[in-house]
Amino acid sequence: APDVYTYTAVIQCYTKENQEGSAVKAVALLNRMIASCRDGNDGLKPNTITVNVVLDALAKAGDGGSARKAEEILNMFQVSCESCLDKVSLNTVSYTSVIDAYAKCGTPDAAQKAEEIFAMMEKEFTEGNRQVKPNTRSYNTLLNAWIQTGKKGSVQRAEIILKQMEEEYASGNLEVRPDVVSFSIVMNGWSKSGDPAALEMTSGVFQRMVTTYKAGNVAARPNLHSFVTLLYAIVNSGRAGAPVHAEKLLRGMYEDYKNGNVSAKPNTQAMTLVIDCWAKSGAQDAGEKAEALLDWMIGLYEEDKDEAFKPNQLTWNAAVNAWAKSRVFGKANRAKNVLDRMVKMYEMDAEEAKPNTFVYTAVVNAAAYTVGDSAEKRNAFEIATNAFKDLGDSNYGTPNHVTYGAYMTACRNLIPEGDSRVSTVETVFKKCCKDGMLNEMVLQRLESALTTEQFMGMIQDDMAPNGSVEVASLPKEWRRNVRDKKPRTKKYSKQGIAKRP
């Protein structure tokens, strides 16, 4: 006949599956065991392992109902003197699983409930139950509960709890020594907090982690996740020196890795993040800096064919965008060269990053905002046109509304006013409508490239009866492949003079 070990094994299977309904099945089996025991079958009396496995299943379910059920089970075994429950001795794992259930459930009161469970565990421990002593995992789970709420003051509370861990560890409590996970959880909270001091606070936690590691806490050795979290804080700070700071950290990670810290090994995500930081910086040399990092990545990848350094589509797109957003002469050519390298690498090896609509659009955008004399602008427009056409003729994607908007901008900025501009814009506009890619942004770019009369001449037949220009009033097939966030409503008189909506 099935015994407690059989039932527990089945519950463990449900827990490992972690499929929808697994927690419900686990609880149902626990209830069946208790009911059978009450009917006289002592062989199905649940033990501590049984209960902990059920609590783990409830934690993995990740919803409020499961968290409340986990607390209910905890309370049942905590206060009951019933003989069918007397083989269960709640321990640190039991309480930590319930804290974890609240950490993952996402309810407004989740962190507060998690802290209440933690307080119950501390109280029981101080009253003499040595089996429920809080440990590093208990604290980390509580930290995660506060960070996951995202509510005002949550990261500050997590900071206090982390410092409590540090103080207890410094006082000799080795059970709660903060590890890299502890510090990284709080770093992550600060980096995404939106607090004006987010960078300083994230950096401060990182430095405390480094300090305790150097003092002998080997569990606090910084790893890739903690480095990347700090990179995010730097990038999101918007500070003038952010890309320089981020690149210095990235190269420091690589040196740390070369010196033996395998867990600090940078990867594509980290490198792309820094390239993108340069792209968004507006720095004069952003394009050169971003492409130099791309070259470094490619060199590291080709040296050992190490996938950790392999540029992906986001990497290439960020490098092209860095040129697009720079303010240097010849940026259209430099952006095109990056795209050409990407295409060449992919055509030589289909395992490389495949070019896509975004990277072609970035080249069009780079050309669109070219500055210089007429020769420079003619060259830039040729690059924009070739990129636009090449995308349409390729198997890499098709122009989307952003591509059309960028090309409209290229027409406005690079073709002198006159019949040539009008003719080109009209051709592009018709193709855009045919492809179903017209939206608010494209319509605005169309208007900016033409005089009011020219613009009215292209869309007058499709204006709303009240004389307004609204994307929603234009033929549906023109906009069938995009979803507009904000409708356009701009009124014109019969003479084409704009009125206030």
Side-chain angles (χ1 to χ4, degrees):
D3 58 11
V4 63
Y5 304 106
T6 308
Y7 271 80
T8 301
V10 175
I11 294 172
Q12 283 179 319
C13 289
Y14 287 141
T15 304
K16 290 178 180 178
E17 279 181 354
N18 195 26
Q19 295 179 355
E20 186 175 354
S22 293
V24 174
K25 293 175 182 177
V27 172
L29 282 181
L30 175 63
N31 289 336
R32 190 190 303 177
M33 292 175 72
I34 295 171
S36 182
C37 177
R38 286 169 177 166
D39 288 339
N41 187 354
D42 284 346
L44 286 182
K45 185 182 290 189
N47 60 28
T48 303
I49 295 175
T50 311
V51 172
N52 284 347
V53 173
V54 172
L55 292 175
D56 186 37
L58 289 165
K60 288 179 177 177
D63 61 81
S66 296
R68 289 188 292 273
K69 174 58 69 173
E71 183 178 4
E72 179 185 316
I73 292 172
L74 186 76
N75 290 335
M76 178 174 68
F77 286 98
Q78 186 181 48
V79 302
S80 178
C81 297
E82 186 181 345
S83 63
C84 283
L85 308 181
D86 63 10
K87 277 194 175 181
V88 176
S89 297
L90 297 175
N91 57 22
T92 302
V93 174
S94 314
Y95 281 92
T96 301
S97 293
V98 180
I99 295 169
D100 194 30
Y102 276 113
K104 293 174 179 174
C105 77
T107 59
D109 63 343
Q112 189 60 50
K113 294 294 293 182
E115 186 140 353
E116 288 174 9
I117 303 299
F118 187 86
M120 287 168 54
M121 176 168 57
E122 284 193 310
K123 182 175 182 294
E124 191 169 338
F125 171 69
T126 57
E127 290 176 350
N129 184 354
R130 312 304 293 177
Q131 300 301 312
V132 296
K133 185 178 183 180
N135 59 19
T136 300
R137 184 171 180 271
S138 308
Y139 271 97
N140 287 350
T141 308
L142 180 59
L143 288 172
N144 191 48
W146 279 108
I147 296 304
Q148 289 302 317
T149 64
K151 295 172 69 174
K152 185 177 181 180
S154 60
V155 67
Q156 287 82 359
R157 179 58 189 156
E159 176 80 26
I160 291 170
I161 294 168
L162 176 61
K163 287 182 177 178
Q164 181 182 333
M165 285 182 76
E166 294 175 86
E167 290 169 3
E168 286 201 34
Y169 174 63
S171 299
N173 186 356
L174 302 184
E175 296 287 335
V176 297
R177 69 173 180 175
D179 59 13
V180 64
V181 175
S182 316
F183 289 103
S184 294
I185 289 171
V186 180
M187 286 176 62
N188 184 53
W190 280 118
S191 72
K192 297 176 180 178
S193 67
D195 191 287
L199 176 56
E200 287 74 18
M201 297 304 295
T202 307
S203 298
V205 176
F206 183 82
Q207 290 305 320
R208 297 204 318 262
M209 175 170 56
V210 172
T211 299
T212 190
Y213 165 66
K214 289 182 176 179
N217 180 1
V218 294
R221 186 173 196 176
N223 61 14
L224 176 61
H225 180 71
S226 51
F227 277 113
V228 170
T229 301
L230 181 54
L231 278 175
Y232 268 112
I234 295 169
V235 171
N236 292 334
S237 70
R239 308 285 176 84
V244 175
H245 188 180
E247 183 169 343
K248 182 179 179 181
L249 177 61
L250 177 68
R251 293 187 181 274
M253 288 170 63
Y254 182 73
E255 289 304 313
D256 196 16
Y257 158 65
K258 295 299 287 184
N259 289 330
N261 184 5
V262 178
S263 61
K265 180 181 181 180
N267 61 4
T268 300
Q269 178 194 12
M271 293 178 162
T272 301
L273 190 62
V274 180
I275 291 174
D276 193 49
C277 187
W278 277 114
K280 294 174 179 176
S281 69
Q284 183 76 11
D285 58 349
E288 292 178 357
K289 292 290 189 180
E291 190 169 352
L293 280 172
L294 175 65
D295 291 340
W296 182 44
M297 279 185 76
I298 293 173
L300 292 175
Y301 169 60
E302 291 184 341
E303 184 177 338
D304 298 314
K305 287 298 178 184
D306 189 334
E307 294 286 323
F309 303 122
K310 184 178 182 178
N312 60 21
Q313 291 176 326
L314 294 176
T315 313
W316 289 98
N317 191 47
V320 174
N321 267 327
W323 282 114
K325 295 179 180 180
S326 66
R327 299 186 298 274
V328 296
F329 292 110
K331 68 177 186 177
N333 284 308
R334 299 297 296 268
K336 176 182 178 296
N337 289 342
V338 175
L339 171 61
D340 289 345
R341 290 173 66 190
M342 183 183 188
V343 172
K344 182 178 179 180
M345 287 182 68
Y346 177 73
E347 290 180 347
M348 290 176 62
D349 183 357
E351 294 298 315
E352 299 296 333
K354 183 179 181 179
N356 59 16
T357 297
F358 302 105
V359 71
Y360 275 91
T361 300
V363 173
V364 175
N365 199 51
Y369 290 98
T370 290
V371 294
D373 57 23
S374 57
E376 178 89 5
K377 289 185 175 182
R378 281 196 302 272
N379 176 66
F381 187 69
E382 182 179 350
I383 289 172
T385 301
N386 288 339
F388 182 83
K389 290 181 177 178
D390 288 348
L391 174 59
D393 294 338
S394 73
N395 295 319
Y396 302 141
T398 56
N400 61 17
H401 61 285
V402 181
T403 317
Y404 276 105
Y407 194 63
M408 287 285 189
T409 302
C411 293
R412 179 194 68 197
N413 293 345
L414 304 176
I415 305 176
E417 291 185 9
D419 293 343
S420 178
R421 182 195 288 186
V422 175
S423 174
T424 303
V425 167
E426 184 173 16
T427 299
V428 176
F429 176 61
K430 288 179 178 179
K431 178 172 172 52
C432 177
C433 295
K434 181 181 178 182
D435 289 346
M437 287 295 177
L438 182 67
N439 76 336
E440 169 72 17
M441 180 269 293
V442 176
L443 204 57
Q444 287 177 340
R445 301 293 175 87
L446 171 70
E447 182 182 0
S448 71
L450 303 169
T451 65
T452 300
E453 290 75 15
Q454 291 165 347
F455 175 69
M456 290 289 292
M458 287 190 192
I459 53 90
Q460 193 162 20
D461 292 342
D462 297 286
M463 289 174 59
N466 64 357
S468 65
V469 179
E470 304 174 22
V471 171
S473 70
L474 297 175
K476 288 183 179 179
E477 61 268 24
W478 291 7
R479 49 191 167 86
R480 65 187 182 277
N481 292 321
V482 290
R483 185 174 298 173
D484 227 359
K485 295 180 180 179
K486 184 179 179 181
R488 172 191 177 92
T489 305
K490 188 172 183 179
K491 293 183 179 179
Y492 287 84
S493 70
K494 296 296 183 182
Q495 290 74 36
I497 306 300
K499 294 180 179 179
R500 194 178 296 274

